[in-house]
Amino acid sequence: MTSIQVFSQEPGSPLPALPHYDSLGTGILQVSFEEKIPLYASADATVPFDTLEIKRRADGSTAFLTRVLKNKLAPYQLSYGDTHEAGRRHINMGLVSFPPVLQFRVVKATAHHFQVVINEKEKLTCFIYINPKYALYGTLVQKEVHNRIGQTEAPYNPCWYLYETWEHFLQRAYIVSTKPNATFYDAPNGKTIPFPSLQDGCRECFHVARVEGEWAELIDRQDYSRKKPAYGWVKWQNGKTLEVAVMEFGYE
């Protein structure tokens, strides 16, 4: 295993040539905010070209700091989270204080590294080497169970990776929304069927029951006991982009 270097290029160094990737990839990566995250330009680089440092601002929001990427840090999801004031306002509205979010789309995952899209607009990728001292989770449920004291024999590790394949990511999502005129099928590569009639005022809102390749089976988003029949299958991706919109969490 290559050791993790924590130094990087000097401030103001030019952005190196980074690999482009124009397909959807394999899933989503989240990383804990406890330590700096070295970013490498290739899978065999020995020195990172930049380092992502995550700090809490005085107002309660979160800063994602880089010396080379700067405004080119534009991953799949990046949110600074609520300030103290915004958090109080949301709680008074019956919501929650929204935390910061950092998610990378994964191009390739190996035992040594994750190749991630660091800039979604230009499709630039870089490499995050896997630190063997970090915990590695494959599902959000696995991570949450591990973090509950007494639920597992292994002690809680504040440094972790959460790498979810698209299958796991879609199936745990609170809502998956289709396009208004999405085509439904009775099975993957099967016969077309009418767009389902929903009764809850959210015409394109579903939950994903199963994923088979580029196909997703959609069910009633409120049928938690799975008593209702599935609505049918849709194509959730076209090779390069998602064909559905994903809302990970909801508040009702």
Side-chain angles (χ1 to χ4, degrees):
M1 179 71 68
T2 303
S3 62
I4 304 297
Q5 306 272 356
V6 296
F7 54 90
S8 61
Q9 293 176 301
E10 292 298 320
S13 298
L15 184 68
L18 298 176
H20 286 72
Y21 189 81
D22 198 26
S23 295
L24 185 63
T26 61
I28 295 293
L29 175 69
Q30 299 183 65
V31 180
S32 59
F33 296 169
E34 296 298 315
E35 296 184 0
K36 297 178 181 179
I37 305 171
L39 305 174
Y40 295 82
S42 67
D44 56 2
T46 58
V47 177
F49 73 90
D50 205 350
T51 299
L52 174 58
E53 186 173 4
I54 303 165
K55 290 185 175 181
R56 191 78 177 267
R57 294 190 179 107
D59 67 0
S61 63
T62 298
F64 298 93
L65 306 174
T66 58
R67 293 182 174 183
V68 178
L69 281 168
K70 297 182 180 179
N71 61 357
K72 282 189 176 291
L73 177 66
Y76 179 75
Q77 292 282 354
L78 191 151
S79 170
Y80 305 113
D82 278 347
T83 61
H84 296 309
E85 180 181 354
R88 287 191 293 268
R89 186 166 62 249
H90 286 146
I91 290 172
N92 289 337
M93 294 169 60
L95 300 172
V96 297
S97 180
F98 295 102
V101 177
L102 175 65
Q103 295 179 338
F104 299 99
R105 199 159 48 84
V106 176
V107 169
K108 185 178 181 180
T110 73
H112 171 253
H113 66 260
F114 297 106
Q115 184 180 2
V116 302
V117 180
I118 201 72
N119 183 293
E120 288 284 349
K121 183 177 180 180
E122 300 181 33
K123 307 301 181 185
L124 300 177
T125 72
C126 69
F127 297 78
I128 296 176
Y129 291 176
I130 296 175
N131 189 325
K133 295 180 180 179
Y134 281 33
L136 176 59
Y137 302 107
T139 66
L140 182 62
V141 170
Q142 185 185 61
K143 175 180 173 293
E144 290 178 341
V145 169
H146 192 180
N147 291 354
R148 295 174 192 151
I149 297 175
Q151 293 293 317
T152 62
E153 295 180 1
Y156 170 67
N157 189 340
C159 298
W160 46 264
Y161 305 103
L162 172 59
Y163 168 53
E164 298 174 280
T165 63
W166 283 116
E167 177 182 2
H168 288 140
F169 188 72
L170 291 171
Q171 285 182 295
R172 76 160 172 87
Y174 176 67
I175 290 176
V176 168
S177 300
T178 66
K179 296 177 180 179
N181 296 317
T183 303
F184 274 66
Y185 298 80
D186 62 356
N189 294 307
K191 297 180 180 179
T192 60
I193 57 177
F195 195 100
S197 176
L198 305 183
Q199 306 300 320
D200 62 0
C202 186
R203 188 174 182 272
E204 292 88 31
C205 299
F206 303 92
H207 186 74
V208 173
R210 290 184 290 170
V211 175
E212 293 185 9
E214 62 184 0
W215 296 90
E217 184 183 39
L218 302 184
I219 60 175
D220 190 315
R221 70 184 181 92
Q222 296 180 328
D223 184 21
Y224 303 110
S225 59
R226 304 285 178 91
K227 292 182 179 180
K228 300 179 182 179
Y231 287 123
W233 294 78
V234 298
K235 284 192 173 183
W236 62 269
Q237 53 106 340
N238 62 17
K240 291 189 175 183
T241 60
L242 291 173
E243 290 289 291
V244 296
V246 181
M247 181 187 294
E248 285 189 70
F249 304 104
Y251 308 92
E252 295 188 32

Coordinates of all heavy atoms in Angstrom, one line a residue, residues 165-172 176 188 208-218 233-234 236-237:
T165 N -22.3 2.0 -4.3 CA -22.6 1.8 -5.7 C -23.9 2.5 -6.0 O -24.7 2.8 -5.1 CB -22.8 0.3 -6.0 OG1 -23.9 -0.2 -5.3 CG2 -21.5 -0.5 -5.7
W166 N -24.2 2.8 -7.3 CA -25.4 3.4 -7.6 C -26.6 2.6 -7.2 O -27.7 3.1 -6.8 CB -25.5 3.6 -9.1 CG -24.7 4.8 -9.6 CD1 -23.6 4.7 -10.4 CD2 -24.9 6.2 -9.3 NE1 -23.1 6.0 -10.7 CE2 -23.9 6.9 -10.0 CE3 -25.8 6.9 -8.5 CZ2 -23.8 8.3 -9.9 CZ3 -25.7 8.3 -8.5 CH2 -24.7 8.9 -9.2
E167 N -26.5 1.3 -7.2 CA -27.6 0.4 -6.7 C -28.0 0.7 -5.3 O -29.1 0.9 -5.0 CB -27.2 -1.0 -6.9 CG -28.3 -2.0 -6.4 CD -27.8 -3.5 -6.5 OE1 -26.7 -3.7 -6.9 OE2 -28.7 -4.3 -6.1
H168 N -27.0 0.8 -4.4 CA -27.2 1.0 -3.0 C -27.7 2.5 -2.8 O -28.6 2.7 -2.0 CB -26.0 0.8 -2.2 CG -25.7 -0.7 -2.0 ND1 -24.4 -1.1 -2.1 CD2 -26.4 -1.8 -1.8 CE1 -24.4 -2.5 -1.9 NE2 -25.6 -2.8 -1.8
F169 N -27.1 3.4 -3.5 CA -27.5 4.8 -3.4 C -28.9 5.0 -3.8 O -29.7 5.7 -3.1 CB -26.5 5.6 -4.2 CG -26.7 7.1 -4.1 CD1 -26.2 7.7 -2.9 CD2 -27.2 7.9 -5.1 CE1 -26.3 9.1 -2.8 CE2 -27.4 9.3 -4.9 CZ -26.9 9.9 -3.8
L170 N -29.4 4.5 -4.9 CA -30.7 4.7 -5.3 C -31.7 4.0 -4.4 O -32.8 4.5 -4.2 CB -30.9 4.1 -6.8 CG -30.1 4.9 -7.9 CD1 -30.2 4.1 -9.2 CD2 -30.7 6.3 -8.0
Q171 N -31.4 2.8 -3.9 CA -32.4 2.0 -3.1 C -32.6 2.7 -1.8 O -33.6 2.5 -1.2 CB -31.9 0.6 -3.0 CG -32.1 -0.2 -4.3 CD -31.7 -1.7 -4.1 OE1 -30.5 -2.0 -3.9 NE2 -32.7 -2.6 -4.2
R172 N -31.6 3.4 -1.3 CA -31.8 4.0 0.1 C -32.4 5.4 0.0 O -32.7 6.1 1.0 CB -30.5 4.1 0.8 CG -29.5 5.1 0.4 CD -28.5 5.4 1.5 NE -27.4 6.2 1.1 CZ -27.4 7.6 1.1 NH1 -28.5 8.2 1.5 NH2 -26.4 8.3 0.8
V176 N -37.1 9.0 -5.5 CA -36.5 9.1 -6.8 C -37.6 9.5 -7.8 O -38.7 9.0 -7.8 CB -36.0 7.7 -7.3 CG1 -35.6 7.7 -8.8 CG2 -34.7 7.3 -6.5
P188 N -37.3 -5.3 -17.2 CA -36.2 -4.8 -18.0 C -36.3 -5.3 -19.4 O -36.4 -6.5 -19.7 CB -35.0 -5.4 -17.2 CG -35.5 -5.6 -15.8 CD -36.9 -6.0 -15.9
V208 N -37.1 3.2 -5.1 CA -36.5 2.1 -5.9 C -36.5 0.8 -5.1 O -36.0 0.8 -4.0 CB -35.1 2.5 -6.3 CG1 -34.4 1.4 -7.0 CG2 -35.1 3.8 -7.2
A209 N -37.1 -0.2 -5.6 CA -37.1 -1.5 -5.0 C -35.9 -2.3 -5.4 O -35.3 -2.9 -4.6 CB -38.4 -2.2 -5.3
R210 N -35.7 -2.4 -6.7 CA -34.5 -3.2 -7.2 C -33.8 -2.4 -8.3 O -34.4 -1.6 -9.0 CB -35.1 -4.5 -7.7 CG -35.6 -5.5 -6.7 CD -35.9 -6.8 -7.3 NE -37.1 -6.7 -8.1 CZ -37.6 -7.7 -9.0 NH1 -36.9 -8.8 -9.1 NH2 -38.7 -7.5 -9.6
V211 N -32.6 -2.8 -8.5 CA -31.8 -2.2 -9.6 C -31.2 -3.4 -10.4 O -30.5 -4.3 -9.8 CB -30.7 -1.3 -9.2 CG1 -29.8 -0.8 -10.3 CG2 -31.3 0.0 -8.5
E212 N -31.4 -3.5 -11.7 CA -30.7 -4.5 -12.5 C -30.1 -3.8 -13.7 O -30.8 -3.4 -14.6 CB -31.8 -5.5 -13.0 CG -32.3 -6.4 -11.9 CD -33.2 -7.5 -12.4 OE1 -33.3 -7.7 -13.7 OE2 -33.9 -8.1 -11.6
G213 N -28.8 -3.6 -13.6 CA -28.1 -2.9 -14.6 C -28.6 -1.4 -14.8 O -28.6 -0.7 -13.8
E214 N -29.0 -1.1 -16.0 CA -29.5 0.3 -16.2 C -31.0 0.4 -15.9 O -31.6 1.5 -16.1 CB -29.3 0.7 -17.6 CG -30.0 -0.2 -18.6 CD -29.7 0.2 -20.1 OE1 -28.9 1.1 -20.3 OE2 -30.2 -0.5 -21.0
W215 N -31.6 -0.6 -15.3 CA -33.0 -0.6 -15.0 C -33.3 -0.5 -13.5 O -32.6 -1.1 -12.7 CB -33.7 -1.9 -15.5 CG -33.6 -2.0 -17.0 CD1 -32.6 -2.6 -17.8 CD2 -34.6 -1.5 -18.0 NE1 -32.9 -2.5 -19.1 CE2 -34.1 -1.8 -19.3 CE3 -35.8 -0.8 -17.8 CZ2 -34.8 -1.5 -20.4 CZ3 -36.5 -0.5 -19.0 CH2 -36.0 -0.8 -20.3
A216 N -34.4 0.2 -13.1 CA -34.8 0.3 -11.7 C -36.3 0.0 -11.6 O -37.1 0.5 -12.4 CB -34.5 1.7 -11.2
E217 N -36.6 -0.8 -10.7 CA -38.0 -1.1 -10.4 C -38.6 -0.1 -9.4 O -38.0 0.1 -8.3 CB -38.2 -2.5 -9.9 CG -39.6 -2.9 -9.7 CD -39.8 -4.3 -9.1 OE1 -39.0 -4.6 -8.2 OE2 -40.7 -5.0 -9.5
L218 N -39.6 0.6 -9.7 CA -40.2 1.6 -8.9 C -41.4 1.2 -8.2 O -42.3 0.5 -8.8 CB -40.5 2.9 -9.7 CG -39.3 3.5 -10.5 CD1 -39.7 4.7 -11.2 CD2 -38.1 3.7 -9.6
W233 N -40.8 -0.7 -14.4 CA -39.4 -0.5 -14.5 C -39.1 0.7 -15.4 O -39.8 0.9 -16.4 CB -38.7 -1.7 -15.1 CG -38.7 -2.9 -14.2 CD1 -39.8 -3.8 -14.0 CD2 -37.7 -3.4 -13.4 NE1 -39.5 -4.8 -13.2 CE2 -38.2 -4.6 -12.8 CE3 -36.4 -3.0 -13.2 CZ2 -37.4 -5.4 -11.9 CZ3 -35.6 -3.8 -12.3 CH2 -36.1 -4.9 -11.7
V234 N -38.1 1.5 -15.1 CA -37.6 2.6 -15.9 C -36.1 2.5 -16.1 O -35.4 1.8 -15.3 CB -38.0 3.9 -15.4 CG1 -39.5 4.1 -15.2 CG2 -37.3 4.2 -14.0
W236 N -32.8 4.1 -15.4 CA -32.4 5.2 -14.4 C -31.1 5.9 -14.9 O -30.8 7.0 -14.3 CB -32.1 4.6 -13.0 CG -31.0 3.6 -13.0 CD1 -31.2 2.2 -13.1 CD2 -29.7 3.8 -12.7 NE1 -29.9 1.6 -13.0 CE2 -29.0 2.6 -12.7 CE3 -28.9 5.0 -12.4 CZ2 -27.6 2.4 -12.5 CZ3 -27.6 4.8 -12.2 CH2 -26.9 3.6 -12.2
Q237 N -30.5 5.4 -15.9 CA -29.3 6.1 -16.5 C -29.1 5.8 -17.9 O -29.7 4.8 -18.4 CB -28.0 5.7 -15.7 CG -27.8 4.2 -15.6 CD -26.7 3.7 -16.5 OE1 -26.3 4.3 -17.5 NE2 -26.2 2.5 -16.3

